[in-house]
Amino acid sequence: ASVTDKDILQDQKTVEDVVSNGLGPRGQRYSPLDKINTDTVKDMRPVWSFSFGGEKQRGQESQPMVKDGVMYVTASYSRVFAVDTKTGDELWEYNARLPDGIMPCCDVINRGVALYDDLVIFGTLDAKLVALDAKTGKVKWKKTVADYKEGYSITAAPMVVNGKVITGVSGGEFGIVGKAEAYDAKTGKILWSRPTVEGHMGYIWKDGKKVENGISGGKPGQTWPGDLWKSGGAATWLGGTYDPDTNSLFIGTGNPAPWNSHMRPGDNLFSSSRLAIDPDTGKIKWHFQTTPHDGWDYDGVNELIAFDYMDGGKTVKAAATADRNGFMYVLNRTNGDFIRGFPFVDEISWATGLDKKGRPIYNEKMRPGNPSASEDGKKGSSVHAVPAFLGGKNWMPMAYSQDTELFYVPSNEWGMDIWNEPTAYKKGAAYLGAGFTIKPLTEDHIGVLRAMDPKTGKEVWRYQNFSPLWGGVLATAGNLVFIGTPEGYLKGFDAKTGEVKYQFNTGSGIVGSPITWEQDGEQFLSVVSGWGGAVPLWGGEVAKRIKHLNQGGSVWTFKLPKS
Ligand code: PQQ
């Protein structure tokens, strides 16, 4: 069951396995399989369901991987399971046995493994990378990426690029310093480390020696006041994608710390940005900041997906991302230049648009007020800003169909009351300086799955959902688009029209990302079910509205009946 670099690079084309997060390193989540299609999908049935067990069933955000008849899937509390893809039988379980002091901000989730050689590699909530023997689940190597006592954790799936495991870190709510790191996949030896806050030194390891590799961006504090860059956040909490074409890792960065933007005048690089990083050296090739001087926790980790399109007979090497701030961006992926941007939500209040370079034109009335301007200095004026900080879109990945040339964007319509408070950095403590309540904008829906045309910015179709959408999307050559809902449904849509073609209730909310593969000539589809993640914890009035949703923890596998 050995996975090679070639297997990973070819993953989108080789349908008999799924060996990358995103069904291909670019993360398009598009499969050329078409046996399950708009005509046949009505007959699709579950063939098995596997329970993750455990007393505490929390959010299940994993994307499963499949290789040689074995599924590798992660579960809440840093667990990994190997399951027989034909029967749903458990082959082994690994449980990371976490210390008491872990501090994940947004549920005890994990988004999946990376596969390489005979190893199953994943990140834990106590900020370690663990490589397991794919056959037995026994630990082959284990490395500490960062100190969980400072607030670091890992929730993202690592990725493997040319023999290197790439990981990010979570912890943006605790004033950590974000970073991307590369480790030798076979041995776990560290190769380079690249901090994502301006002014911090990067390192590369040569013959086991740690060598300085240039500071990240400008001088320490150039776009930060005083010493705030030392605890500047910009967590790389969603990992990233890889574009073989330009040999770039695309890694997003989270909010600047603290949330209270009056404490840190300036752009606060490289927070709320997309970075193109050289996988060989860890150098930042270019950056694009979606929300300079972020004052709303709009963050910037959302996936940047490489795709090509034709413009007047010329191929444009583009990449697209749908940001928490409500704008979708199409960039030139060779240099990070802004091509176009447009809203993908119905309402944006904090900015009136984007300028020629893609920088937001702020509506300063929508920036939460400065606490020091208030009478007692304890609470700044509150604003109702749209989108809410959980974003027009959060971590849940969109898909790009090579057939329709549309992006399928899982989005949410909500706003928030937000205000600032004084705060100070203390190691291992929350570092926000803000209070907030998320509120729905309409009675009947929050979630909207949108088909967006990246060439025009037009919405081609939409599906509205009562609860916020929090799971990933899958597009297939069968003219289908799949997504799960917090109500528990796996839903399939006609990719061209948005007509609902399939639904099946998995018994708990879906916040995982579906995959599809082929085995012995049959097309399979799997999705993880188990409601949780940030919404029930941080969702304010939205969380109250959907508190009836039940937790769970299982993976479901579907196929067509044998003809
Ligand atoms: N995680 C979720 C989720 O899994 O539902 C939602 C969020 C996170 C957010 O909205 C965040 O802002 C966020 N921020 C960080 C960070 O700044 O380090 C980490 C995470 C995470 O690791 O899950 C989330």
Side-chain angles (χ1 to χ4, degrees):
S2 194
V3 175
T4 64
D5 289 308
K6 195 170 156 214
D7 291 338
I8 295 170
L9 291 171
Q10 301 283 312
D11 196 29
Q12 194 165 29
K13 291 197 192 115
T14 54
V15 294
E16 29 339 299
D17 57 29
V18 177
V19 295
S20 58
N21 196 278
L23 283 83
R26 290 177 300 181
Q28 291 185 346
R29 296 185 183 272
Y30 169 82
S31 167
L33 287 172
D34 63 0
K35 283 185 180 144
I36 298 172
N37 56 46
T38 37
D39 293 329
T40 61
V41 70
K42 62 181 188 312
D43 297 323
M44 191 170 86
R45 298 281 184 276
V47 285
W48 54 262
S49 168
F50 172 83
S51 171
F52 299 143
E55 286 163 53
K56 295 185 242 166
Q57 298 185 313
R58 297 285 292 271
Q60 310 294 353
E61 293 186 356
S62 187
Q63 181 219 288
M65 299 275 224
V66 167
K67 178 70 180 168
D68 297 337
V70 181
M71 176 181 292
Y72 303 94
V73 60
T74 60
S76 52
Y77 293 100
S78 306
R79 290 174 291 159
V80 187
F81 293 91
V83 181
D84 184 316
T85 52
K86 277 281 172 84
T87 61
D89 289 341
E90 177 176 319
L91 303 174
W92 53 256
E93 172 183 357
Y94 173 79
N95 185 330
R97 300 193 191 286
L98 299 163
D100 286 337
I102 55 165
M103 283 181 263
C105 68
C106 308
D107 203 1
V108 285
I109 49 105
N110 182 280
R111 302 196 184 87
V113 301
L115 299 179
Y116 194 70
D117 202 32
D118 294 314
L119 298 172
V120 178
I121 304 162
F122 86 117
T124 65
L125 291 170
D126 58 348
K128 292 187 168 63
L129 268 183
V130 183
L132 306 170
D133 183 318
K135 285 220 175 59
T136 63
K138 296 257 154 34
V139 175
K140 286 282 200 137
W141 57 257
K142 194 182 212 175
K143 295 286 155 177
T144 297
V145 175
D147 183 0
Y148 72 87
K149 290 181 185 139
E150 288 179 32
Y152 287 96
S153 55
I154 299 178
T155 59
M159 67 178 147
V160 174
V161 172
N162 300 327
K164 299 181 180 73
V165 194
I166 313 292
T167 187
V169 290
S170 301
E173 269 57 84
F174 303 95
I176 57 91
V177 173
K179 60 180 179 176
E181 285 191 337
Y183 294 79
D184 184 308
K186 290 193 185 174
T187 63
K189 258 196 217 142
I190 190 161
L191 299 172
W192 54 255
S193 178
R194 171 57 50 191
T196 50
V197 178
E198 175 187 85
H200 292 266
M201 183 59 72
Y203 294 93
I204 191 159
W205 278 257
K206 288 199 171 122
D207 308 320
K209 268 202 239 111
K210 184 176 175 180
V211 182
E212 287 190 351
N213 191 26
I215 60 168
S216 302
K219 286 191 205 97
Q222 203 159 284
T223 62
W224 294 83
D227 277 349
L228 264 80
W229 61 283
K230 289 184 180 165
S231 49
T236 46
W237 62 268
L238 196 52
T241 54
Y242 173 64
D243 173 36
D245 217 22
T246 58
N247 191 35
S248 296
L249 303 168
F250 295 143
I251 296 182
T253 59
N255 58 284
W259 288 22
N260 178 351
S261 64
H262 301 282
M263 290 174 57
R264 44 173 175 73
D267 278 359
N268 313 134
L269 290 173
F270 295 102
S271 67
S272 302
S273 300
R274 306 300 184 286
L275 306 178
I277 295 179
D278 183 332
D280 302 318
T281 62
K283 284 243 161 110
I284 296 174
K285 298 187 193 180
W286 55 256
H287 72 275
F288 182 86
Q289 192 174 34
T290 45
T291 313
H293 196 219
D294 185 349
W296 305 265
D297 186 34
Y298 284 150
D299 207 287
V301 298
N302 290 356
E303 72 286 1
L304 179 65
I305 299 179
F307 73 110
D308 293 341
Y309 67 91
M310 297 303 289
D311 184 12
K314 274 210 318 235
T315 304
V316 180
K317 286 181 190 276
T321 188
D323 200 85
R324 263 161 77 162
N325 72 16
F327 291 101
M328 186 160 176
Y329 299 80
V330 178
L331 306 179
N332 176 335
R333 71 175 187 270
T334 67
N335 57 16
D337 281 356
F338 175 72
I339 297 175
R340 71 181 68 83
F342 41 85
F344 65 94
V345 290
D346 292 338
E347 194 182 332
I348 294 177
S349 76
W350 68 279
T352 55
L354 303 174
D355 74 10
K356 274 201 221 108
K357 294 199 150 165
R359 194 179 168 93
I361 303 159
Y362 296 96
N363 176 0
E364 281 299 339
K365 280 192 295 233
M366 282 295 150
R367 186 178 290 277
N370 191 344
S372 42
S374 71
E375 251 169 52
D376 59 3
K378 286 198 179 130
K379 184 178 171 185
S381 57
S382 179
V383 297
H384 180 76
V386 183
F389 69 88
L390 287 178
K393 174 185 170 298
N394 204 290
W395 73 273
M396 55 285 187
M398 58 187 185
Y400 175 73
S401 165
Q402 298 182 357
D403 305 319
T404 62
E405 299 183 10
L406 301 174
F407 278 92
Y408 298 95
V409 185
S411 64
N412 292 307
E413 303 282 350
W414 44 18
M416 64 179 166
D417 292 339
I418 180 168
W419 59 92
N420 289 146
E421 295 160 357
T423 185
Y425 176 76
K426 195 171 151 252
K427 183 180 150 177
Y431 186 43
L432 297 185
F436 40 78
T437 306
I438 292 189
K439 295 179 166 174
L441 298 175
T442 65
E443 287 298 313
D444 66 334
H445 74 280
I446 295 162
V448 188
L449 176 64
R450 290 172 152 94
M452 297 294 300
D453 185 337
K455 297 193 277 296
T456 61
K458 293 237 162 65
E459 180 186 302
V460 177
W461 58 258
R462 67 162 65 185
Y463 158 77
Q464 295 186 173
N465 198 68
F466 180 74
S467 302
L469 291 175
W470 217 251
V473 185
L474 170 70
T476 74
N479 189 35
L480 286 168
V481 172
F482 291 96
I483 190 171
T485 71
E487 287 84 352
Y489 286 101
L490 171 69
K491 283 188 182 260
F493 301 86
D494 183 310
K496 292 199 191 85
T497 65
E499 193 190 331
V500 179
K501 290 288 183 183
Y502 186 79
Q503 64 174 34
F504 176 86
N505 199 311
T506 59
S508 176
I510 295 176
V511 293
S513 304
I515 58 161
T516 188
W517 78 98
E518 190 172 83
Q519 196 168 334
D520 302 332
E522 290 186 289
Q523 186 182 351
F524 289 76
L525 189 145
S526 290
V527 71
V528 161
S529 168
W531 173 235
V535 179
L537 297 172
W538 297 89
E541 290 180 12
V542 169
K544 278 188 206 149
R545 184 187 276 196
I546 56 170
K547 66 175 187 308
H548 60 284
L549 298 174
N550 289 327
Q551 294 181 325
S554 56
V555 52
W556 287 83
T557 293
F558 302 80
K559 71 177 188 67
L560 297 173
K562 278 224 168 88
S563 48

